[in-house]
Amino acid sequence: MNILIIGSGGREHTLAWKMAQSHQSSDIYIAPGNPGTAEFGINVPISVNNFKGLKALAIEKNIELIVVGPEEPLVNGIYDFFNEDPATASINVIGPSANAAQLEGSKAFSKHFMQRHQIPTAAYAEFTIENYEEGLIYIKAHPLPIVLKADGLAAGKGVIIAMTRQEALTSFKEMLQDKQFGEASSKVVIEQFLEGIEVSVFALTDGHHYQIIGHAKDYKRIGEGDTGLNTGGMGCVSPVPFMDAPFMQKVEATIIAPTIKGIKEEGLVYKGFVFFGLMNCGGNPYVIEYNCRLGDPETEVILPRLQTDLVSLLAATDNGTLEDVNIQYNDNAFATVMAVSGGYPGSYQKNIPITGIELAAALPEIHVFQAGTGFQENLIVTKGGRVLTVTSSGNTLKNAVINAQKALSNIQFEGMYFRKDIGYEFP
Ligand code: AMP
Ligand code: GLY
């Protein structure tokens, strides 16, 4: 079948790589893609929110399967846009309807959902400008630290962990009165701080059934030892040693199964990936957030680890056979290490030539997945903060990380930085 992947990051490069291996895939298109995705399909310069352009492409190329990478088009209703038009309604679009995508697009929606279905999550309250004064009182009585979240999508910047009440009050005012994140912060969720280790679990659902397809630990801070500013993710490991069978049974019984049951009972139209952002609090998992897509860079370890054919797996969401799929994993450990532009997550330069990708990619067990890259006069150059990530497997997690770092040492661009301690806590 002909496939369209929407997005242009490392996640989409990994999806293209994995789907190209399937005997079921014919032509693969990526919109807009990057130089990495171009190895596995045809890049088409249509942006992820240009629904009309994407629909015209899908019709012209007889696309039967669409995988939507990032959250924004999902929250903006791309599933419904294709589903409501008879010309494209038969296309299997992987991603929830706009209504169901509120599980990611609105913190208040997801909190209400979890409360209705008794899914463990941090205690919370929500405020708008209407009950602003109550919010001030709530903050003054709240134990520290205090977590404040803009309700809507705020490009990963809408969460503040305030260490003092003054900081919480200031952020509260900035979000609600000063409209710091525009419409996204017209509602604010204030949450209990959860102490623990953050992990990501991924499932695929057809809205009734689900399969768990992997889990990972993401290293979000820019600095070694988990210090400094938050980033989109500096590296990942999978499997995570403490996410053993008893822990995963708890995750499934208390979080995944009730979430899918809730989706079904509420009639939410959801055919796609569910990303459970969890906190492991002393062995008990709590939901920090839902995302309605795969993670990045989590995808760069979970798909290499997944041995099941991805195209058949995705097709199973459309023909009622998801329950029958046999999920199989590679026995090795996987790690990915992200190389970023100098200055990231602050300001950084772009259009810097990158060398050594082919050299690194030729090494055994190594995949180089490109994220913020582009072509400039036939050279691959930097185009973003997170530039590329190198994934490796190994018989131990440590070996996987060492392999990835060795491969990465072949790659160079001016200002390149990567964390040398991914997986540090797992000797
Ligand atoms: P979110 O956008 O909800 O994932 O929040 C961004 C980050 O803030 C998360 O990845 C966590 O590291 C942190 N965070 C969010 N909510 C909480 C919480 N209730 N307790 C502790 N940390 C949190
Ligand atoms: N790595 C976290 C995310 O994709 O949101």
Side-chain angles (χ1 to χ4, degrees):
M1 68 179 84
N2 291 346
I3 295 167
L4 171 61
I5 298 168
I6 296 176
S8 63
R11 167 181 50 209
E12 289 75 21
H13 188 178
T14 313
L15 281 163
W17 163 80
K18 178 80 177 161
M19 294 175 88
Q21 293 166 27
S22 174
H23 64 274
Q24 286 209 53
S25 68
S26 311
D27 295 340
I28 299 181
Y29 297 87
I30 309 95
N34 67 35
T37 62
E39 287 171 50
F40 301 103
I42 299 164
N43 287 349
V44 188
I46 303 175
S47 78
V48 303
N49 283 310
N50 178 357
F51 293 180
K52 281 189 182 153
L54 293 168
K55 186 184 274 183
L57 176 73
I59 293 170
E60 183 195 330
K61 303 297 183 188
N62 289 315
I63 301 293
E64 291 177 74
L65 173 65
I66 298 180
V67 183
V68 185
E71 63 278 16
E72 215 191 319
L74 290 164
V75 172
N76 290 343
I78 194 166
Y79 175 91
D80 313 86
F81 187 80
F82 277 84
N83 193 49
E84 284 161 7
D85 183 341
T88 50
S90 65
I91 301 176
N92 184 9
V93 178
I94 298 298
S97 63
N99 190 24
Q102 290 182 86
L103 285 171
E104 174 163 3
S106 164
K107 303 279 185 201
F109 181 95
S110 74
K111 282 296 206 180
H112 287 285
F113 177 90
M114 286 185 258
Q115 206 168 41
R116 281 197 295 278
H117 301 285
Q118 283 115 44
I119 294 164
T121 188
Y124 78 104
E126 62 182 78
F127 300 96
T128 63
I129 204 72
E130 308 294 319
N131 59 351
Y132 187 81
E133 297 299 323
E134 278 174 46
L136 299 179
I137 295 165
Y138 189 82
I139 289 173
K140 285 175 191 157
H142 199 287
L144 295 171
I146 306 174
V147 183
L148 285 92
K149 299 185 174 183
D151 178 55
L153 292 184
K157 299 197 166 49
V159 176
I160 305 289
I161 301 192
M163 303 310 289
T164 66
R165 283 202 182 78
Q166 192 49 51
E167 201 185 330
L169 291 168
T170 305
S171 295
F172 187 69
K173 174 184 173 293
E174 283 170 354
M175 286 196 199
L176 281 178
Q177 282 195 341
D178 309 341
K179 303 187 166 47
Q180 187 182 14
F181 302 107
E183 189 52 32
S185 65
S186 61
K187 194 183 274 175
V188 171
V189 167
I190 299 182
E191 238 180 58
Q192 166 202 12
F193 179 79
L194 295 174
E195 188 91 53
I197 303 173
E198 214 174 321
V199 291
S200 310
V201 177
F202 297 88
L204 179 70
T205 186
D206 59 7
H208 295 259
H209 310 289
Y210 65 89
Q211 290 281 357
I212 297 172
I213 60 165
H215 70 253
K217 180 172 188 293
D218 182 9
Y219 293 76
K220 294 197 175 188
R221 302 296 190 97
I222 188 74
E224 285 168 15
D226 297 325
T227 54
L229 292 174
N230 244 331
T231 72
M234 295 297 293
C236 273
V237 299
S238 179
V240 180
F242 64 77
M243 296 176 80
D244 51 10
F247 180 78
M248 286 305 291
Q249 274 156 20
K250 272 190 203 171
V251 171
E252 189 166 1
T254 65
I255 292 169
I256 300 179
T259 297
I260 305 301
K261 187 163 167 271
I263 286 173
K264 183 178 159 188
E265 281 174 6
E266 297 191 15
L268 296 174
V269 176
Y270 200 133
K271 202 173 53 173
F273 299 108
V274 192
F275 169 163
F276 299 85
L278 307 179
M279 195 69 92
N280 174 9
C281 303
N284 291 317
Y286 288 76
V287 178
I288 296 178
E289 62 170 351
Y290 290 116
N291 295 308
C292 56
R293 54 175 172 83
L294 289 175
D296 196 349
E298 286 93 337
T299 305
E300 289 92 307
V301 287
I302 68 156
L303 291 187
R305 182 172 171 241
L306 185 70
Q307 285 191 322
T308 305
D309 180 279
L310 184 61
V311 178
S312 313
L313 180 61
L314 297 178
T317 60
D318 213 26
N319 58 22
T321 60
L322 186 59
E323 267 195 314
D324 309 329
V325 178
N326 183 12
I327 299 290
Q328 284 191 309
Y329 299 109
N330 187 308
D331 290 333
N332 279 330
F334 288 77
T336 199
V337 180
M338 184 71 74
V340 303
S341 296
Y344 173 82
S347 60
Y348 51 83
Q349 284 191 332
K350 289 185 188 174
N351 300 314
I352 299 173
I354 308 168
T355 59
I357 291 179
E358 282 180 21
L359 216 58
L363 297 169
E365 308 292 319
I366 294 295
H367 302 290
V368 180
F369 295 118
Q370 297 184 38
T373 62
F375 283 121
Q376 198 173 71
E377 292 159 11
N378 290 327
L379 284 180
I380 297 180
V381 299
T382 63
K383 286 284 178 200
R386 293 194 298 169
V387 174
L388 54 85
T389 188
V390 175
T391 298
S392 179
S393 57
N395 54 354
T396 65
L397 209 49
K398 196 149 208 79
N399 285 340
V401 176
I402 290 170
N403 288 345
Q405 283 183 8
K406 267 194 202 151
L408 200 46
S409 68
N410 290 285
I411 299 178
Q412 278 163 359
F413 58 88
E414 201 190 311
M416 170 172 141
Y417 167 79
F418 63 91
R419 271 182 66 169
K420 295 179 187 64
D421 69 339
I422 299 303
Y424 68 92
E425 69 277 57
F426 306 119

